[in-house]
mmCIF file of all heavy atoms in Angstrom:
data_model
loop_
_atom_site.group_PDB
_atom_site.id
_atom_site.type_symbol
_atom_site.label_atom_id
_atom_site.label_comp_id
_atom_site.label_asym_id
_atom_site.label_seq_id
_atom_site.Cartn_x
_atom_site.Cartn_y
_atom_site.Cartn_z
ATOM 1 N N MET A 101 -18.353 -60.616 -91.706
ATOM 2 C CA MET A 101 -19.760 -60.353 -91.630
ATOM 3 C C MET A 101 -20.340 -60.275 -93.089
ATOM 4 O O MET A 101 -19.866 -59.585 -93.844
ATOM 5 C CB MET A 101 -20.070 -59.074 -91.012
ATOM 6 C CG MET A 101 -21.585 -58.777 -90.906
ATOM 7 S SD MET A 101 -21.926 -57.260 -89.806
ATOM 8 C CE MET A 101 -21.140 -56.019 -90.832
ATOM 9 N N VAL A 102 -21.346 -61.187 -93.244
ATOM 10 C CA VAL A 102 -21.980 -61.228 -94.627
ATOM 11 C C VAL A 102 -23.239 -60.256 -94.522
ATOM 12 O O VAL A 102 -24.019 -60.369 -93.667
ATOM 13 C CB VAL A 102 -22.494 -62.628 -94.986
ATOM 14 C CG1 VAL A 102 -23.269 -62.534 -96.274
ATOM 15 C CG2 VAL A 102 -21.363 -63.574 -95.107
ATOM 16 N N THR A 103 -23.212 -59.166 -95.410
ATOM 17 C CA THR A 103 -24.411 -58.255 -95.477
ATOM 18 C C THR A 103 -25.131 -58.492 -96.717
ATOM 19 O O THR A 103 -24.557 -58.867 -97.798
ATOM 20 C CB THR A 103 -23.898 -56.869 -95.375
ATOM 21 O OG1 THR A 103 -23.037 -56.586 -96.449
ATOM 22 C CG2 THR A 103 -23.103 -56.537 -94.100
ATOM 23 N N VAL A 104 -26.452 -58.144 -96.691
ATOM 24 C CA VAL A 104 -27.321 -58.362 -97.820
ATOM 25 C C VAL A 104 -28.119 -56.991 -97.968
ATOM 26 O O VAL A 104 -28.618 -56.437 -97.076
ATOM 27 C CB VAL A 104 -28.230 -59.502 -97.754
ATOM 28 C CG1 VAL A 104 -27.470 -60.886 -97.816
ATOM 29 C CG2 VAL A 104 -28.981 -59.447 -96.373
ATOM 30 N N PRO A 105 -28.358 -56.655 -99.294
ATOM 31 C CA PRO A 105 -29.042 -55.371 -99.502
ATOM 32 C C PRO A 105 -30.573 -55.720 -99.095
ATOM 33 O O PRO A 105 -31.066 -56.719 -99.529
ATOM 34 C CB PRO A 105 -28.883 -55.253 -101.005
ATOM 35 C CG PRO A 105 -28.526 -56.522 -101.625
ATOM 36 C CD PRO A 105 -27.737 -57.188 -100.529
ATOM 37 N N THR A 106 -31.094 -54.760 -98.482
ATOM 38 C CA THR A 106 -32.433 -54.951 -97.946
ATOM 39 C C THR A 106 -33.288 -53.589 -97.983
ATOM 40 O O THR A 106 -32.664 -52.567 -97.561
ATOM 41 C CB THR A 106 -32.329 -55.411 -96.402
ATOM 42 O OG1 THR A 106 -31.583 -56.643 -96.320
ATOM 43 C CG2 THR A 106 -33.881 -55.693 -95.915
ATOM 44 N N TYR A 107 -34.399 -53.641 -98.431
ATOM 45 C CA TYR A 107 -35.194 -52.476 -98.386
ATOM 46 C C TYR A 107 -36.014 -52.395 -96.997
ATOM 47 O O TYR A 107 -36.744 -53.268 -96.687
ATOM 48 C CB TYR A 107 -36.289 -52.388 -99.522
ATOM 49 C CG TYR A 107 -35.564 -51.962 -100.814
ATOM 50 C CD1 TYR A 107 -34.814 -52.788 -101.604
ATOM 51 C CD2 TYR A 107 -35.818 -50.598 -101.171
ATOM 52 C CE1 TYR A 107 -34.215 -52.284 -102.783
ATOM 53 C CE2 TYR A 107 -35.208 -50.112 -102.366
ATOM 54 C CZ TYR A 107 -34.430 -50.943 -103.067
ATOM 55 O OH TYR A 107 -33.710 -50.497 -104.247
ATOM 56 N N VAL A 108 -35.945 -51.303 -96.342
ATOM 57 C CA VAL A 108 -36.602 -51.071 -95.014
ATOM 58 C C VAL A 108 -37.307 -49.779 -95.032
ATOM 59 O O VAL A 108 -37.066 -48.887 -95.890
ATOM 60 C CB VAL A 108 -35.520 -51.047 -93.840
ATOM 61 C CG1 VAL A 108 -34.788 -52.440 -93.802
ATOM 62 C CG2 VAL A 108 -34.562 -49.954 -94.164
ATOM 63 N N PRO A 109 -38.313 -49.739 -94.191
ATOM 64 C CA PRO A 109 -39.208 -48.481 -94.100
ATOM 65 C C PRO A 109 -38.345 -47.239 -93.701
ATOM 66 O O PRO A 109 -37.589 -47.296 -92.807
ATOM 67 C CB PRO A 109 -40.247 -48.785 -93.173
ATOM 68 C CG PRO A 109 -40.290 -50.340 -93.106
ATOM 69 C CD PRO A 109 -38.959 -50.806 -93.409
ATOM 70 N N ARG A 110 -38.619 -46.129 -94.384
ATOM 71 C CA ARG A 110 -37.966 -44.855 -93.984
ATOM 72 C C ARG A 110 -38.517 -44.383 -92.592
ATOM 73 O O ARG A 110 -37.993 -43.567 -91.926
ATOM 74 C CB ARG A 110 -38.128 -43.804 -95.056
ATOM 75 C CG ARG A 110 -37.455 -44.003 -96.390
ATOM 76 C CD ARG A 110 -37.778 -42.961 -97.423
ATOM 77 N NE ARG A 110 -37.147 -43.221 -98.661
ATOM 78 C CZ ARG A 110 -35.842 -42.725 -98.917
ATOM 79 N NH1 ARG A 110 -35.218 -42.082 -98.002
ATOM 80 N NH2 ARG A 110 -35.332 -43.047 -100.101
ATOM 81 N N ARG A 111 -39.831 -44.737 -92.328
ATOM 82 C CA ARG A 111 -40.583 -44.155 -91.254
ATOM 83 C C ARG A 111 -41.506 -45.364 -90.765
ATOM 84 O O ARG A 111 -41.564 -46.479 -91.404
ATOM 85 C CB ARG A 111 -41.441 -42.989 -91.738
ATOM 86 C CG ARG A 111 -42.313 -43.250 -92.868
ATOM 87 C CD ARG A 111 -43.203 -42.231 -93.358
ATOM 88 N NE ARG A 111 -43.974 -42.556 -94.477
ATOM 89 C CZ ARG A 111 -45.149 -43.173 -94.417
ATOM 90 N NH1 ARG A 111 -45.648 -43.461 -93.294
ATOM 91 N NH2 ARG A 111 -45.823 -43.479 -95.486
ATOM 92 N N ARG A 112 -42.151 -45.139 -89.692
ATOM 93 C CA ARG A 112 -43.247 -45.973 -89.173
ATOM 94 C C ARG A 112 -44.355 -46.034 -90.160
ATOM 95 O O ARG A 112 -44.973 -44.950 -90.378
ATOM 96 C CB ARG A 112 -43.609 -45.622 -87.794
ATOM 97 C CG ARG A 112 -44.509 -46.570 -87.087
ATOM 98 C CD ARG A 112 -44.940 -45.998 -85.797
ATOM 99 N NE ARG A 112 -45.865 -46.821 -84.965
ATOM 100 C CZ ARG A 112 -45.720 -47.751 -84.071
ATOM 101 N NH1 ARG A 112 -44.393 -47.863 -83.680
ATOM 102 N NH2 ARG A 112 -46.616 -48.424 -83.506
ATOM 103 N N ILE A 113 -44.817 -47.136 -90.602
ATOM 104 C CA ILE A 113 -45.878 -47.201 -91.635
ATOM 105 C C ILE A 113 -47.139 -47.905 -91.077
ATOM 106 O O ILE A 113 -46.995 -48.917 -90.557
ATOM 107 C CB ILE A 113 -45.446 -47.937 -92.869
ATOM 108 C CG1 ILE A 113 -44.160 -47.318 -93.601
ATOM 109 C CG2 ILE A 113 -46.618 -48.063 -93.875
ATOM 110 C CD1 ILE A 113 -43.680 -47.905 -94.712
ATOM 111 N N PRO A 114 -48.278 -47.208 -90.971
ATOM 112 C CA PRO A 114 -49.377 -47.775 -90.391
ATOM 113 C C PRO A 114 -49.963 -48.874 -91.177
ATOM 114 O O PRO A 114 -49.704 -49.117 -92.444
ATOM 115 C CB PRO A 114 -50.411 -46.629 -90.389
ATOM 116 C CG PRO A 114 -49.651 -45.386 -90.633
ATOM 117 C CD PRO A 114 -48.428 -45.875 -91.461
ATOM 118 N N ALA A 115 -50.766 -49.674 -90.508
ATOM 119 C CA ALA A 115 -51.445 -50.863 -91.176
ATOM 120 C C ALA A 115 -52.471 -50.282 -92.265
ATOM 121 O O ALA A 115 -52.948 -49.271 -92.050
ATOM 122 C CB ALA A 115 -52.180 -51.712 -90.208
ATOM 123 N N GLY A 116 -52.698 -51.003 -93.364
ATOM 124 C CA GLY A 116 -53.538 -50.609 -94.317
ATOM 125 C C GLY A 116 -52.919 -49.605 -95.371
ATOM 126 O O GLY A 116 -53.657 -48.985 -96.168
ATOM 127 N N THR A 117 -51.657 -49.408 -95.394
ATOM 128 C CA THR A 117 -51.036 -48.414 -96.223
ATOM 129 C C THR A 117 -50.548 -49.212 -97.485
ATOM 130 O O THR A 117 -49.921 -50.127 -97.432
ATOM 131 C CB THR A 117 -49.810 -47.793 -95.540
ATOM 132 O OG1 THR A 117 -50.165 -47.080 -94.369
ATOM 133 C CG2 THR A 117 -49.118 -46.738 -96.447
ATOM 134 N N LYS A 118 -50.964 -48.619 -98.655
ATOM 135 C CA LYS A 118 -50.425 -49.143 -99.856
ATOM 136 C C LYS A 118 -48.838 -48.638 -99.997
ATOM 137 O O LYS A 118 -48.681 -47.471 -99.993
ATOM 138 C CB LYS A 118 -51.189 -48.661 -101.080
ATOM 139 C CG LYS A 118 -50.800 -49.334 -102.443
ATOM 140 C CD LYS A 118 -51.795 -48.995 -103.509
ATOM 141 C CE LYS A 118 -51.314 -49.702 -104.827
ATOM 142 N NZ LYS A 118 -52.239 -49.399 -105.986
ATOM 143 N N LEU A 119 -47.995 -49.517 -100.266
ATOM 144 C CA LEU A 119 -46.565 -49.298 -100.221
ATOM 145 C C LEU A 119 -46.062 -48.788 -101.559
ATOM 146 O O LEU A 119 -46.305 -49.364 -102.660
ATOM 147 C CB LEU A 119 -45.864 -50.501 -99.778
ATOM 148 C CG LEU A 119 -46.338 -51.152 -98.417
ATOM 149 C CD1 LEU A 119 -45.657 -52.398 -98.177
ATOM 150 C CD2 LEU A 119 -46.107 -50.172 -97.281
ATOM 151 N N THR A 120 -45.358 -47.619 -101.428
ATOM 152 C CA THR A 120 -44.675 -46.948 -102.635
ATOM 153 C C THR A 120 -43.151 -46.920 -102.440
ATOM 154 O O THR A 120 -42.598 -47.139 -101.319
ATOM 155 C CB THR A 120 -45.331 -45.645 -102.917
ATOM 156 O OG1 THR A 120 -44.935 -44.779 -101.772
ATOM 157 C CG2 THR A 120 -46.788 -45.691 -102.905
ATOM 158 N N GLU A 121 -42.492 -46.568 -103.511
ATOM 159 C CA GLU A 121 -40.981 -46.369 -103.552
ATOM 160 C C GLU A 121 -40.585 -45.388 -102.413
ATOM 161 O O GLU A 121 -39.516 -45.485 -101.869
ATOM 162 C CB GLU A 121 -40.562 -46.096 -104.800
ATOM 163 C CG GLU A 121 -39.055 -46.190 -105.047
ATOM 164 C CD GLU A 121 -38.561 -45.938 -106.477
ATOM 165 O OE1 GLU A 121 -39.364 -45.866 -107.326
ATOM 166 O OE2 GLU A 121 -37.296 -45.947 -106.645
ATOM 167 N N GLN A 122 -41.396 -44.342 -102.284
ATOM 168 C CA GLN A 122 -40.945 -43.319 -101.438
ATOM 169 C C GLN A 122 -41.073 -43.801 -99.829
ATOM 170 O O GLN A 122 -40.455 -43.063 -98.997
ATOM 171 C CB GLN A 122 -42.011 -42.065 -101.446
ATOM 172 C CG GLN A 122 -41.796 -41.334 -102.681
ATOM 173 C CD GLN A 122 -42.252 -41.991 -104.021
ATOM 174 O OE1 GLN A 122 -43.246 -42.778 -103.966
ATOM 175 N NE2 GLN A 122 -41.494 -41.764 -105.085
ATOM 176 N N ASP A 123 -41.635 -44.915 -99.641
ATOM 177 C CA ASP A 123 -41.713 -45.380 -98.221
ATOM 178 C C ASP A 123 -40.475 -46.112 -97.786
ATOM 179 O O ASP A 123 -40.313 -46.458 -96.555
ATOM 180 C CB ASP A 123 -42.949 -46.369 -98.058
ATOM 181 C CG ASP A 123 -44.260 -45.632 -98.267
ATOM 182 O OD1 ASP A 123 -44.413 -44.589 -97.792
ATOM 183 O OD2 ASP A 123 -45.146 -46.251 -98.966
ATOM 184 N N PHE A 124 -39.515 -46.421 -98.693
ATOM 185 C CA PHE A 124 -38.434 -47.311 -98.357
ATOM 186 C C PHE A 124 -37.112 -46.776 -98.765
ATOM 187 O O PHE A 124 -36.973 -45.799 -99.542
ATOM 188 C CB PHE A 124 -38.643 -48.633 -99.050
ATOM 189 C CG PHE A 124 -39.807 -49.348 -98.712
ATOM 190 C CD1 PHE A 124 -40.984 -49.052 -99.282
ATOM 191 C CD2 PHE A 124 -39.899 -50.200 -97.543
ATOM 192 C CE1 PHE A 124 -42.184 -49.781 -98.915
ATOM 193 C CE2 PHE A 124 -40.994 -50.824 -97.110
ATOM 194 C CZ PHE A 124 -42.221 -50.612 -97.726
#
Side-chain angles (χ1 to χ4, degrees):
M101 181 172 64
V102 177
T103 62
V104 289
T106 306
Y107 278 80
V108 297
R110 294 178 181 271
R111 56 181 177 80
R112 184 184 178 95
I113 299 177
T117 302
K118 187 173 182 179
L119 305 177
T120 68
E121 189 173 356
Q122 287 69 36
D123 295 322
F124 298 91

